[in-house]
């Protein structure tokens, strides 16, 4: 391991899950194009990408100035590209940048610097940039842009507040957006009184709610006393002077201009934000990637153990946990080290990440996307022996890997496939359902979208076309070749035909034709073309089973 100081850049697409849900294929195509822009700007600025997951990008720069300049270039370039799309379909990054002490391990970076950059990214506006105070000090006099002081912010899993600044991005007319001015003294006083009144009314409501859950004279007296005290506090508040003198000044920028934020209560220490309070509690049954056996061990050994403890894992389920450590830092280091040692001997991804510290989930990524149940449908009409050479969407190198490792693998085993040709497989599992879940989770984490199980043990469990070439996943509700008014019918007809070979064809006007419940791929293709030709011209097959297709 090697320690160093670096400028850390974290970027993530705002609303990515919604964009994928609305039109998966178009979103993935645009993501690939936008990533080429991002990667090119990072390389030209002397940066190095050290981690990607789905739509996220993490990079390091030797200079904070180059990191911020690169971020501005990326946002302005993508803003221009987004002008070609309606607001609901625009794809915009949030970017966070900090300077921190990080640990380099096998090309990856770990440490608080990485975590803080990810949290700053979450504070950024859509299409915006958020930087730490350390970065601001480095770049304030070197770049011709404006900055808005957001003040200290409580962020998840970072023990001390992070002082953040927002970079003012350029408007369409070439000017730069400026932040709202801090409220005047009279306005702050009114905000303070209104916010405190809300707090008092919440106390009154809390006393009333508490009485619903407690019984006996003692609790009733407690409720009456609480309500009385709250009423007296409200009366004192109403009589308070119009301009209370704050013990600390609220920070400049939009935070101070928005009523009800903790800074406007003029407290010496800001109250925790909702993001710092809503910490996910560790639950073994919800841990992704790992086997059911590991979940049982976590419930038996990890959950009841006292602090300090930590649990780390890779997306292919290599994991380690430690308990009874002298400090939290010792627990984190030991869990990562043990996990990394095990990962080095595995065939899958070797990047270990902390999933939990003590009883709190600290995993920096969202849960991997999963398809709707059931995850596997057995249909004798379409199932056939697995062949790596016939694996859809996958490149030749991937097929060679499957040929060398999957075919000879021990049951239970499965292959999960993503719409862009990403795939993940494992063998030697104890439970079929467990193997299916873990492969879908690992594939989903890599692809950034839901994958499907295409092979289970030694058989394809979905219709895999061979007469035509699979090019992606078929989503009838959003496919552009189908007339908009006909998409619901396509969805309904396919849902009513869950077995056999199904094919969909369209003509120049987008009218669909169906070949459903066929006993062979050729039968479904012929039926779809014949049905389409009765209502449209120049018909072509666009889908077979779960795949979009084109001629071989």
């Amino acid at each position: 391991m090697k320690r160093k100081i670096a400028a850390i850049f974290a970027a993530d697409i705002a609303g990515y899950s919604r964009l994928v849900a609305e039109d998966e294929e178009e979103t993935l195509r645009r993501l690939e194009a936008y990533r080429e822009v991002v990667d090119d700007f990072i390389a030209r600025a002397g940066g190095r990408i050290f981690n990607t997951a789905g739509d996220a990008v993490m990079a390091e720069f030797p200079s904070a100035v180059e990191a911020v300049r690169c971020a501005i270039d990326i946002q302005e370039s993508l803003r221009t590209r987004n002008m070609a799309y309606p607001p609901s379909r625009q794809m915009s990054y949030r970017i966070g940048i900090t300077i921190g002490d990080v640990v380099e391990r096998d090309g990856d970076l770990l440490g608080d610097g990485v975590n803080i950059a990810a949290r700053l990214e979450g504070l950024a506006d859509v299409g915006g940039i958020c930087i730490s105070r350390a970065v601001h000090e480095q770049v304030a006099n070197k770049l011709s842009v404006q900055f808005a002081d957001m003040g200290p912010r409580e962020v998840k899993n970072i023990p001390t507040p992070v002082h953040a600044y927002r970079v003012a991005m350029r408007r369409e007319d070439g000017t730069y957006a400026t932040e709202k001015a801090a409220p005047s003294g009279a306005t702050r006083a009114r905000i303070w009184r209104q916010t405190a009144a809300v707090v008092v009314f919440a106390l009154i409501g809390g006393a009333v709610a508490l009485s619903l859950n407690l019984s006996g004279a003692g609790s009733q007296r407690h409720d009456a006393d609480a309500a009385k005290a709250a009423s007296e506090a409200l009366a004192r508040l109403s009589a308070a002077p119009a301009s209370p003198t704050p013990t600390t000044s609220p920070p400049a920028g939009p935070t101070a201009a928005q009523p009800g934020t903790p800074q406007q209560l003029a407290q010496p220490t800001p109250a925790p934000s909702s993001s710092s309070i809503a910490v996910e509690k560790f639950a073994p049954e919800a841990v992704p990637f790992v086997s059911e056996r590991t979940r049982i061990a976590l419930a038996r050994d990890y959950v009841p153990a006292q602090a300090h403890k930590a649990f780390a894992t890779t997306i292919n389920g290599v994991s380690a946990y430690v308990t009874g450590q002298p400090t939290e830092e010792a627990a984190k280091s030991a869990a990562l080290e043990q996990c990394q040692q095990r990962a080095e001997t595995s065939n899958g991804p070797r990047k270990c990440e902390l999933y939990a510290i003590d009883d709190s989930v600290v995993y920096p990524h969202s849960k991997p996307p999963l398809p709707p149940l059931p995850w596997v449908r057995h249909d004798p009409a379409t199932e056939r022996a697995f062949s790596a050479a016939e694996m859809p969407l996958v490149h030749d190198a991937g097929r060679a890997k499957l040929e060398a490792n999957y075919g000879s693998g021990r049951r239970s085993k499965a292959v999960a496939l993503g719409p862009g040709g990403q795939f993940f497989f494992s063998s030697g599992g104890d439970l079929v359902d467990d193997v299916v879940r873990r492969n879908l989770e690992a594939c989903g984490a890599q692809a950034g979208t839901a994958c499907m199980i295409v092979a289970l043990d030694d058989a394809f469990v979905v219709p895999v076309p061979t007469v035509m070439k699979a090019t992606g996943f078929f989503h009838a509700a959003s496919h552009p070749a189908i007339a908009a008014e006909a998409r619901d019918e396509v969805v309904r007809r396919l849902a009513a035909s869950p077995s056999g070979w199904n094919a969909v064809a369209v003509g120049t006007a987008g009218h669909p034709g169906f070949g459903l419940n066929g006993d062979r791929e050729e039968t479904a293709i012929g039926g779809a073309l014949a049905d389409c030709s009765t209502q449209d011209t120049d018909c072509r097959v666009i889908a077979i089973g779960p795949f979009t297709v084109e001629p071989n």
Side-chain angles (χ1 to χ4, degrees):
M1 294 189 299
K2 181 177 72 173
R3 283 194 173 275
K4 62 181 178 181
I5 301 294
I8 304 300
F9 166 113
D12 208 353
I13 292 175
Y16 180 71
S17 298
R18 175 187 60 81
L19 293 169
V20 171
E22 291 175 354
D23 190 340
E24 182 177 75
E25 292 180 359
E26 187 260 357
T27 299
L28 292 174
R29 283 196 300 269
R30 286 178 59 201
L31 173 62
E32 183 176 0
Y34 281 29
R35 273 295 309 276
E36 289 180 0
V37 174
V38 172
D39 294 1
D40 183 60
F41 275 116
I42 290 174
R44 281 193 281 166
R48 179 185 73 89
I49 295 174
F50 62 85
N51 195 1
T52 61
D55 59 313
V57 179
M58 302 288 290
E60 65 166 328
F61 291 80
S63 161
V65 173
E66 291 302 325
V68 175
R69 183 180 285 127
C70 175
I72 293 171
D73 290 342
I74 288 171
Q75 296 294 38
E76 293 189 348
S77 176
L78 296 186
R79 177 174 61 83
T80 302
R81 288 172 176 257
N82 274 328
M83 292 170 63
Y85 298 91
S88 63
R89 292 301 303 165
Q90 290 184 0
M91 184 181 289
S92 301
Y93 278 90
R94 291 186 174 97
I95 299 177
I97 303 173
T98 191
I99 298 174
D101 186 5
V102 295
V103 175
E104 184 173 2
R105 177 187 287 164
D106 295 333
D108 198 5
L109 298 184
L110 306 170
D112 283 346
V114 177
N115 296 334
I116 291 172
R119 300 310 177 204
L120 288 168
E121 175 261 310
L123 295 176
D125 294 329
V126 176
I129 304 164
C130 185
I131 63 176
S132 67
R133 180 161 56 186
V135 173
H136 180 260
E137 292 172 351
Q138 294 287 323
V139 306
N141 298 321
K142 298 180 178 70
L143 296 174
S144 58
V145 294
Q146 299 178 26
F147 303 89
D149 188 348
M150 301 169 65
R153 293 300 185 96
E154 297 275 353
V155 294
K156 183 178 178 182
N157 299 322
I158 303 299
T160 58
V162 176
H163 200 119
Y165 290 78
R166 182 177 287 114
V167 180
M169 298 304 296
R170 191 166 59 184
R171 295 192 183 101
E172 297 295 330
D173 60 4
T175 63
Y176 284 88
T178 56
E179 300 299 326
K180 296 180 181 178
S184 64
T187 303
R188 287 198 298 267
R190 183 174 68 255
I191 291 169
W192 183 88
R193 292 169 63 189
Q194 291 173 345
T195 307
V198 172
V199 173
V200 171
F201 280 122
L203 290 173
I204 296 173
V208 173
L210 185 62
S211 68
L212 299 176
N213 296 303
L214 299 176
S215 59
S219 61
Q220 291 172 359
R221 284 196 301 272
H222 179 274
D223 300 338
D225 292 343
K228 180 180 178 182
S231 298
E232 291 174 350
L234 183 58
R236 290 195 298 272
L237 177 66
S238 300
S243 300
T245 303
T247 57
T248 60
S249 299
T255 301
Q258 296 171 358
T261 58
Q263 291 86 345
Q264 292 165 327
L265 292 177
Q267 302 286 340
T269 303
S273 68
S274 59
S275 63
S276 64
I277 294 173
V279 176
E280 182 182 351
K281 185 176 176 60
F282 178 78
E285 65 276 9
V287 177
F289 313 130
V290 301
S291 67
E292 196 63 31
R293 181 181 297 176
T294 299
R295 286 178 166 183
I296 292 171
L298 288 167
R300 182 190 64 232
D301 302 329
Y302 184 86
V303 171
Q306 300 299 309
H308 298 283
K309 56 185 178 180
F311 168 64
T313 186
T314 67
I315 65 170
N316 64 322
V318 175
S319 62
Y321 60 86
V322 294
T323 61
Q325 300 297 301
T327 65
E328 180 179 299
E329 284 301 317
K332 291 159 59 176
S333 297
L336 281 171
E337 183 177 357
Q338 291 186 26
C339 178
Q340 203 64 53
Q341 288 175 352
R342 297 174 183 177
E344 293 299 328
T345 63
S346 71
N347 292 323
R350 300 180 179 183
K351 175 178 166 43
C352 285
E353 295 184 273
L354 285 171
Y355 183 86
I357 300 173
D358 291 336
D359 295 318
S360 299
V361 174
V362 298
Y363 192 59
H365 314 293
S366 57
K367 293 292 178 65
L370 292 172
L373 292 168
W375 292 334
V376 176
R377 282 194 177 99
H378 290 285
D379 182 3
T382 59
E383 285 188 15
R384 68 172 189 272
F386 173 81
S387 169
E390 296 178 1
M391 184 72 181
L393 307 182
V394 175
H395 295 303
D396 290 342
R399 292 192 176 106
K401 185 175 181 180
L402 286 168
E403 181 70 32
N405 298 287
Y406 184 80
S408 58
R410 183 171 58 87
R411 297 188 178 194
S412 293
K413 56 185 179 179
V415 182
L417 176 69
Q422 311 92 339
F423 68 99
F424 206 98
F425 68 94
S426 65
S427 60
D430 296 328
L431 303 170
V432 171
D433 290 347
D434 205 31
V435 169
V436 167
R437 170 186 61 81
R438 293 176 61 195
N439 279 280
L440 285 173
E441 289 171 340
C443 180
Q446 284 188 323
T449 188
C451 297
M452 77 167 80
I453 295 294
V454 295
L456 184 61
D457 290 333
D458 297 313
F460 282 123
V461 291
V462 296
V464 175
T466 56
V467 175
M468 302 191 74
K469 177 185 177 182
T471 58
F473 287 4
F474 178 57
H475 297 283
S478 58
H479 199 287
I482 305 172
E485 66 274 10
R487 292 172 186 169
D488 287 345
E489 179 192 5
V490 178
V491 172
R492 179 180 57 79
R493 293 282 298 274
L494 292 177
S497 306
S499 64
W501 287 87
N502 295 327
V504 179
V506 294
T508 54
H511 297 305
F514 302 93
L516 303 177
N517 302 320
D519 58 347
R520 294 181 302 128
E521 180 183 355
E522 295 86 348
T523 304
I525 291 172
L529 290 172
D531 186 35
C532 174
S533 65
T534 64
Q535 53 188 328
D536 211 333
T537 58
D538 294 329
C539 291
R540 58 189 176 89
V541 174
I542 60 170
I544 295 174
F547 300 102
T548 56
V549 294
E550 62 183 24
N552 275 321

